[in-house]
Amino acid sequence: MTTDDILREMGLGPIWRLRTAPAAMPAEELIAPAPLAPDPLPQTAPALEAAALLSAVAWDELAATVAACRQCRLCETRKQAVLGVGDVNADWLFVGEGPGAEEDQRGEPFVGQAGKLLDNMLAAIGLKRGRDVYIANAVKCRPPENRTPAPEEAAACRPYLERQIELIRPKLIVALGRPAAQTLLGMEVKIAAARGKLFDYRGIPLIVTYHPAYLLRTLPDKAKAWEDLCFMRRTMQAQKGG
Ligand code: URA
């Protein structure tokens, strides 16, 4: 069975459609990240230094810095660093884990099978890559064999993501999967427990959901991802004042 067959069986192609009007935003409280366990991404001295150095850079300089980055060993095996793609004034920011083989080759996040599913998920809530949406990853260089980025790799790369968020100033951040959520929140995250909650990233609401690659492997969680999409939409509507 090909991924296309699976997608069809999941009802994900060509697009998920919102059949019911989203309910009003419940009165939710923002959850400030409180480390549950030792911070998986401690703010090391080099990371703090990098954050300070980046705090004034604009997009061009950020892109050049990331392209030339040698802060961790991922630079040794990458074809190129993958900064992100989309509208730099977007209200929506989606953050994945790290580039895979196709992303490393093409220099754009989420262009493989998981990316097709992400595009369908975006379409389901009326969004389109590049239009009011920015897509980035927790780490900008491909981890070999598509392994999960190591904590020190995510920590070395975090200042770049932080600067991207400062520049974009999105109204909502969506963390796709555990590594993205942990990088952004600086705490241990279990997706099943974190879904449906509103976290706070430096004053910006943050929602955690499954990574599209996980959804491709785990059909039963498709319904939960759908709930998460509806929650995102309601949250954005509330952010925009109804
Ligand atoms: N998975 C990710 O987390 N990011 C990509 O860019 C591609 C696949």
Side-chain angles (χ1 to χ4, degrees):
M1 186 183 259
T2 66
T3 307
D4 279 346
D5 295 329
I6 295 169
L7 280 174
R8 245 190 316 276
E9 290 217 347
M10 290 171 77
L12 295 181
I15 173 177
W16 282 356
R17 290 193 193 288
L18 203 55
R19 292 199 191 90
T20 51
M25 174 76 181
E28 316 235 11
E29 285 190 11
L30 283 185
I31 302 170
L36 305 174
D39 185 344
L41 295 180
Q43 289 273 22
T44 58
L48 289 172
E49 225 172 84
L53 286 174
L54 289 171
S55 65
V57 307
W59 278 107
D60 285 358
E61 201 180 336
L62 179 63
T65 307
V66 168
C69 180
R70 303 201 64 80
Q71 294 292 328
C72 80
R73 64 191 158 175
L74 296 182
C75 68
E76 290 160 18
T77 47
R78 72 177 178 220
K79 285 200 169 62
Q80 60 187 313
V82 180
L83 178 64
V85 70
D87 178 353
V88 295
N89 298 307
D91 285 344
W92 296 81
L93 171 65
F94 288 79
V95 181
E97 179 175 327
E102 286 189 66
E103 290 78 18
D104 183 46
Q105 181 77 39
R106 288 176 49 187
E108 181 172 332
F110 283 101
V111 290
Q113 284 303 326
K116 290 199 180 100
L117 178 51
L118 178 60
D119 286 341
N120 279 350
M121 291 164 72
L122 294 177
I125 50 173
L127 299 174
K128 195 168 162 47
R129 178 183 292 247
R131 210 192 301 150
D132 205 20
V133 176
Y134 192 91
I135 302 171
N137 278 310
V139 296
K140 311 306 187 202
C141 297
R142 181 191 180 203
E145 316 300 329
N146 296 343
R147 64 165 167 75
T148 303
E152 65 275 16
E153 294 159 357
C157 219
R158 182 159 69 176
Y160 300 133
L161 181 60
E162 288 171 351
R163 185 62 188 148
Q164 286 178 296
I165 297 172
E166 279 171 9
L167 288 167
I168 298 167
R169 292 189 290 121
K171 287 196 168 64
L172 177 63
I173 301 173
V174 178
L176 300 164
R178 193 166 187 232
Q182 296 195 156
T183 299
L184 285 159
L185 295 173
M187 65 185 214
E188 289 280 341
V189 173
K190 292 216 166 30
I191 299 294
R195 292 180 47 246
K197 295 184 178 147
L198 215 43
F199 291 88
D200 172 72
Y201 172 91
R202 302 182 182 178
I204 303 170
L206 183 149
I207 288 174
V208 171
T209 190
Y210 295 109
H211 191 286
Y214 167 84
L215 291 173
L216 288 173
R217 297 190 302 267
T218 319
L219 306 191
D221 281 335
K222 175 199 160 196
K224 294 183 191 158
W226 176 246
E227 285 168 17
D228 295 347
L229 286 167
C230 295
F231 179 45
M232 290 169 209
R233 222 174 103 121
R234 287 199 304 276
T235 304
M236 180 59 84
Q237 281 171 345
Q239 280 298 103
K240 289 181 168 176

